[in-house]
Amino acid sequence: MPVPDRPAYHLYRWLWGSLDLLFPPLCGGCGRRGSNWCTDCDGQVNKIQYPICDICGQPRKVSGLCFHCSDDKPSFTKLRSWALYKGPVREAIRNLKYRRNVSLGLVLSNPLVKLFCDLCWDVDMILPVPLGVARLKERGYNQAVLIARPLALNIDIPCETQGLHRVRETRSQVGLTLNQRRDNVRNAFKATKEIVSNRRILVVDDVATSSATLDACASALLEAGAEDVSCLTIARTSEQF
Ligand SMILES: [Zn+2]
Ligand SMILES: [Zn+2]
């Protein structure tokens, strides 16, 4: 499927681009002045290479299912990511998430547009992984929305930020074992039946680590009647759980 060309997306891009006139952009990966994403950083991206696990997309030595997916299948049908969470990609995501460089949402959505078009998935709706109320208030924005919205405009699929809610705060997944991560996010999400019922959903997030969060989102969506759930993230960690 070729990368589409949507007027709404160009308007969104133009609005963000006009901010660059007021605040000259710095590269999200290395901080160099001139553009939001420089060619040096682009050349250092560790793109996910096949073979990968057919379900969770974890890089492997052979295709098929990884140990975790064959042992305990996740609720989502597929998860794919653009790159490993390393180097300039890691830096750009941290700048988007923790340092308020919100224009990087648009920059980081571009490779997801290409990835989505290459995958040729049939989906009806895009849902960003929601933050809890307290975290959203503290940060002021949800980085997953900033990635999902330009992706949705570009591929002309609605982005529904009300389709999924985080019903309780969860602690950071950093430093937790796989079982602790699953416990941490279990029943943390609730989906809106009227929005997701009988729909094929694409859940979008910035990083997948153990995929426990995406699994919990998919469970909530299927429980509310979603037909199918697949997931896309910018990056994934290379550690095995
Ligand atoms: Zn750079
Ligand atoms: Zn797997």
Side-chain angles (χ1 to χ4, degrees):
M1 179 174 156
V3 175
D5 193 27
R6 309 279 178 205
Y9 169 72
H10 287 295
L11 177 63
Y12 188 93
R13 214 186 146 98
W14 179 83
L15 288 169
W16 277 108
S18 61
L19 281 178
D20 289 346
L21 299 174
L22 297 171
F23 309 102
L26 305 177
C27 172
C30 66
R32 195 178 301 161
R33 198 169 291 278
S35 71
N36 287 312
W37 187 243
C38 78
T39 49
D40 280 359
C41 286
D42 201 51
Q44 289 174 46
V45 175
N46 292 277
K47 290 185 190 153
I48 303 286
Q49 306 281 350
Y50 285 81
I52 58 175
C53 169
D54 295 343
I55 296 179
C56 75
Q58 180 74 39
R60 283 168 48 79
K61 289 196 173 72
V62 289
S63 58
L65 297 189
C66 74
F67 167 74
H68 291 298
C69 291
S70 41
D71 186 46
D72 185 11
K73 228 173 168 184
S75 302
F76 52 77
T77 309
K78 286 181 227 108
L79 159 63
R80 296 292 182 266
S81 311
W82 171 53
L84 291 179
Y85 187 56
K86 282 182 170 180
V89 172
R90 180 172 180 271
E91 195 57 23
I93 289 174
R94 290 178 64 83
N95 282 330
L96 167 66
K97 216 162 157 174
Y98 305 118
R99 300 178 196 128
R100 302 189 169 274
N101 192 342
V102 288
S103 64
L104 288 172
L106 174 62
V107 174
L108 291 170
S109 76
N110 287 331
L112 284 196
V113 173
K114 166 96 177 53
L115 179 58
F116 180 84
C117 293
D118 288 347
L119 290 167
C120 293
W121 288 348
D122 285 323
V123 301
D124 303 311
M125 184 181 294
I126 292 182
L127 298 183
V129 171
L131 292 180
V133 174
R135 186 71 55 82
L136 184 61
K137 205 168 166 192
E138 176 195 324
R139 192 172 293 165
Y141 58 93
N142 176 358
Q143 73 283 351
V145 173
L146 293 177
I147 296 163
R149 212 181 280 288
L151 167 68
L153 285 171
N154 206 321
I155 60 180
D156 204 18
I157 290 171
C159 177
E160 292 282 358
T161 54
Q162 298 305 309
L164 190 59
H165 298 276
R166 202 179 281 245
V167 287
R168 64 175 174 80
E169 296 293 339
T170 53
R171 57 174 286 202
S172 162
Q173 301 273 68
V174 176
L176 302 184
T177 64
L178 177 59
N179 283 337
Q180 286 171 332
R181 282 166 189 258
R182 285 179 173 161
D183 287 345
N184 188 33
V185 292
R186 185 166 291 131
N187 300 323
F189 298 94
K190 190 160 178 29
T192 312
K193 196 171 181 200
E194 296 71 28
I195 296 179
V196 306
S197 181
N198 297 316
R199 294 285 191 274
R200 295 164 300 179
I201 312 283
L202 178 68
V203 176
V204 170
D205 205 2
D206 51 352
V207 187
T209 305
S210 63
S211 69
T213 302
L214 293 166
D215 193 18
C217 289
S219 278
L221 289 162
L222 293 175
E223 207 172 295
E227 186 183 316
D228 176 73
V229 181
S230 48
C231 309
L232 271 189
T233 68
I234 300 293
R236 66 178 309 138
T237 53
S238 50
E239 59 202 283
Q240 277 283 5
F241 282 88

